[in-house]
């Protein structure tokens, strides 16, 4: 639930947990004093796992989500460059670390690098475990 102007509130709730969850972080807004769009550079905290139960319309079993990718925008509200942090996984789904993909360049990164970026989009995947 997010406060809007005045006494209004806006809420978006999940009806059914999706397999993939994409979260877009609004990084631009119109600044009345300068009469133009400006980029919001405030850091947004995010974790490697996400529990969406507090955002569900109904009580649901725990379906943990695992962060798989983060898109970062470098530049201003009028232009710039996008780059992607991508989780590397083995066939068994174990974490092998992170890479930064920017145009033709791919380089190893740590979780600290990823969590310190200016996230523009977060991509989570449901990590439902099959019963054995």
């Amino acid at each position: 639930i997010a406060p809007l102007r005045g006494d209004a509130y806006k809420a978006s709730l999940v009806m059914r947990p999706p397999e993939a969850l994409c979260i877009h972080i609004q990084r631009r807004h119109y600044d009345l004093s300068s009469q133009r769009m400006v980029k919001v550079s405030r850091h947004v905290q995010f974790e490697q796992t996400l529990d969406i139960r507090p955002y569900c319309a109904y009580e649901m079993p725990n379906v943990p989500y695992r962060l798989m990718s983060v898109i970062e925008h470098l530049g201003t509200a009028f232009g710039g460059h996008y780059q992607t942090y991508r989780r590397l996984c083995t066939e068994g789904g174990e974490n092998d670390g992170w890479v930064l993909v920017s145009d033709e360049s791919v380089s190893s990164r740590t979780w600290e690098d990823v969590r310190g970026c200016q996230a523009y989009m977060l991509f989570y995947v449901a990590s439902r475990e099959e019963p054995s």
Side-chain angles (χ1 to χ4, degrees):
I1 298 178
L4 296 174
R5 293 185 188 101
D7 295 332
Y9 285 86
K10 176 183 176 181
S12 296
L13 299 175
V14 176
M15 299 293 288
R16 185 176 50 215
E19 289 297 317
L21 181 64
C22 304
I23 301 172
H24 173 253
I25 299 163
Q26 184 62 38
R27 287 274 181 201
R28 295 180 355 148
H29 75 92
Y30 188 75
D31 181 43
L32 289 173
S33 63
S34 66
Q35 298 281 312
R36 64 187 193 125
M37 296 298 289
V38 294
K39 181 175 178 184
V40 177
S41 58
R42 172 191 273 173
H43 180 71
V44 174
Q45 292 182 8
F46 54 92
E47 297 299 326
Q48 292 192 65
T49 58
L50 177 66
D51 178 4
I52 67 165
R53 287 180 295 176
Y55 312 105
C56 290
Y58 308 104
E59 188 172 321
M60 298 190 184
N62 185 22
V63 178
Y65 282 80
R66 186 174 184 207
L67 183 65
M68 298 305 290
S69 186
V70 179
I71 297 176
E72 176 180 41
H73 179 261
L74 305 173
T76 69
F78 301 104
H81 178 71
Y82 292 95
Q83 56 187 22
T84 303
Y85 292 90
R86 178 76 172 110
R87 180 188 294 275
L88 295 176
C89 297
T90 63
E91 283 189 35
E94 296 298 318
N95 183 9
D96 282 342
W98 292 86
V99 292
L100 173 63
V101 181
S102 180
D103 292 335
E104 296 176 3
S105 169
V106 179
S107 55
S108 294
R109 291 293 189 259
T110 65
W111 166 240
E112 293 304 317
D113 295 329
V114 176
R115 74 185 309 176
C117 79
Q118 283 190 10
Y120 173 73
M121 289 190 81
L122 304 169
F123 295 87
Y124 286 89
V125 174
S127 55
R128 293 182 174 96
E129 294 183 13
E130 297 296 321
S132 34

